[in-house]
Amino acid sequence: MNVKPEASAFEVESRTRDAHWPGVVSLGLGVFGLVTAEFLPASLLTPISHDLGISIGAAGQSVTMTAVIGAIAGPAVVIATSRLDRRLTLWGLTTLLIISSFLAAVAGGLATLLVARAVLGIALGGFWAMSLALAMRLVPEELMPRAMAVIMTGVSVATVCAAPVGAWVGETLGWRAAFLIAATVGAIALAVQVFALPPMPSMGGAGLGTIAGVLRRPAIRIGLATILLVVSGHFAGFTFIRPFLETVPHFGVQGISGVLLAFGIGGFLGNFIGGYLAERNTGRAIAFAATGIAATTLALAIVGAHPTIAFIATALWGFAFGALPVSVQSFVTQAASDEAESAGALMLTTFQIAISSGAAIGGLIVETQGLEGVFGFAAIAALCGSALIGVLGRSTVRAIS
């Protein structure tokens, strides 16, 4: 017999609060700025490595740094700021986005670039750890799927814009200009948040005990293990997508921008399909996304030298990955809505560990096996994640549905 946990303060407030859509939109704008800054290095690794005099593999560790710090910062920010108005915390995180982007733009070497990316990791980790709980503070419970769709649209638009626009700006104005643009986007997001967010006073928030309690839930453990496999595989490949497109199918800068735009548009569409599937079965939605990532990265590893196949496979890869975040968010909402901040912190930490390990493993594979090898690893990791949620997660998903 399943016993529903007693309603938390977040759930009670969610049921009684009127929807505050300007605040939700401001969260979507903030995540657009954060994800834009996060994704920029993927389209700028080549000019960054040339300008700073470092290898492609070393430049790729700018992605690793953001992920490592984000994994630590997510739970730390949630716990350390649990007594603060959540609005003030969010303003501080968006300010860190601006500082990080500016530091990256003026970096004179790898050390400064890594510091900048570490600051971004704090902002990114803190925001994602609190995003689910923030949405629950802004809309009634029955409107949560719509609110999360608005917030995740910021991810989708950033996915569409960041890589292709970053590649174009890097070629025409220089890679530093791309980070200055990211700082400007952050400043706009901060201004909107200052005017749009209502007061959200502390409700006690998460602690180590509540985080540990959520981690003991079988559904959460299976979901986090799936995230670790699929996301590490994805970012092992995506971190090195530009060098791959340059040296294997031999795309020029305009061609790379077009391929990355197709990836982003695919991600935008995948977000909505993922949401549609997750409304029916969250486990199957995650398995669908993971299998798509496995199939498309395997195609790049085997026949990615053909430009047409590389273009189509990358676009479909974007579609598959676009379905993943909204599916995972829906899974966690079902499994731990009574402890939203704790569940969000765990999910964020797992995502960032997966991103950092994927980028690090990808760098090692590139140095030893070449660029095709990293996409083979991505396919295997994503397929393992699909099998895990599809087989072990089936009964667990039914239990929480």
Side-chain angles (χ1 to χ4, degrees):
M1 178 178 179
N2 294 326
V3 179
K4 183 177 178 60
E6 183 179 351
S8 68
F10 286 107
E11 292 177 305
V12 172
E13 185 186 35
S14 176
R15 293 168 187 161
T16 59
R17 176 182 292 279
D18 293 331
H20 196 289
W21 291 111
V24 174
V25 171
S26 77
L27 295 182
L29 183 57
V31 77
F32 169 73
L34 286 164
V35 175
T36 295
E38 181 185 19
F39 281 2
L40 276 181
S43 62
L44 298 170
L45 281 187
T46 301
I48 289 174
S49 65
H50 289 167
D51 188 26
L52 299 183
I54 57 178
S55 69
I56 289 288
Q61 299 319 303
S62 62
V63 177
T64 305
M65 177 61 77
T66 300
V68 169
I69 298 301
I72 300 169
V77 168
V78 167
I79 294 172
T81 65
S82 62
R83 302 299 175 185
L84 295 179
D85 187 311
R86 288 344 224 160
R87 178 177 57 173
L88 298 178
T89 303
L90 186 61
W91 292 350
L93 296 173
T94 306
T95 300
L96 291 181
L97 162 63
I98 300 169
I99 294 171
S100 165
S101 298
F102 181 77
L103 282 176
V106 300
L110 180 60
T112 305
L113 179 64
L114 293 180
V115 169
R117 301 298 291 178
V119 173
L120 178 65
I122 298 173
L124 193 69
F127 179 88
W128 279 121
M130 297 194 308
S131 61
L132 182 61
L134 289 171
M136 292 179 69
R137 301 286 296 273
L138 292 171
V139 300
E141 184 178 2
E142 64 271 15
L143 294 178
M144 271 294 296
R146 191 180 307 176
M148 291 308 303
V150 171
I151 295 171
M152 295 306 295
T153 297
V155 177
S156 300
V157 175
T159 304
V160 171
C161 296
V165 173
W168 180 82
V169 171
E171 180 67 18
T172 57
L173 301 177
W175 67 270
R176 298 177 188 276
F179 283 102
L180 288 176
I181 292 172
T184 302
V185 171
I188 294 171
L190 178 60
V192 173
Q193 289 167 1
V194 168
F195 287 102
L197 285 173
M200 290 184 283
S202 169
M203 301 178 70
L208 292 177
T210 56
I211 291 175
V214 170
L215 186 57
R216 285 193 290 268
R217 302 182 187 187
I220 290 294
R221 292 200 299 270
I222 292 172
L224 296 182
T226 302
I227 291 169
L228 188 63
L229 287 166
V230 178
V231 176
S232 63
H234 168 78
F235 276 94
F238 187 72
T239 300
F240 300 96
I241 185 64
R242 175 167 176 165
F244 175 86
L245 294 173
E246 286 176 327
T247 60
V248 179
H250 301 291
F251 283 104
V253 173
Q254 289 186 340
I256 291 171
S257 296
V259 174
L260 294 178
L261 178 62
F263 179 94
I265 293 173
F268 182 81
L269 298 175
N271 178 47
F272 295 104
I273 297 300
Y276 174 81
L277 295 175
E279 288 180 0
R280 286 146 182 80
N281 187 295
T282 55
R284 289 178 185 171
I286 296 172
F288 168 81
T291 303
I293 293 170
T296 52
T297 52
L298 182 62
L300 288 171
I302 297 175
V303 289
H306 298 275
T308 301
I309 294 177
F311 180 90
I312 294 172
T314 304
L316 293 176
W317 180 14
F319 177 83
F321 182 71
L324 183 66
V326 66
S327 301
V328 170
Q329 287 275 10
S330 298
F331 187 95
V332 172
T333 299
Q334 288 183 359
S337 62
D338 57 311
E339 293 291 352
E341 288 198 356
S342 296
L346 284 170
M347 185 174 62
L348 175 278
T349 297
T350 305
F351 255 99
Q352 298 306 318
I353 291 173
I355 292 171
S356 61
S357 61
I361 293 170
L364 292 174
I365 294 174
V366 167
E367 298 290 343
T368 59
Q369 303 295 324
L371 290 163
E372 292 92 338
V374 78
F375 290 97
F377 167 78
I380 293 171
L383 189 60
C384 289
S386 177
L388 177 63
I389 195 70
V391 177
L392 296 182
R394 189 176 301 157
S395 60
T396 305
V397 169
R398 283 201 300 266
I400 64 175
S401 297

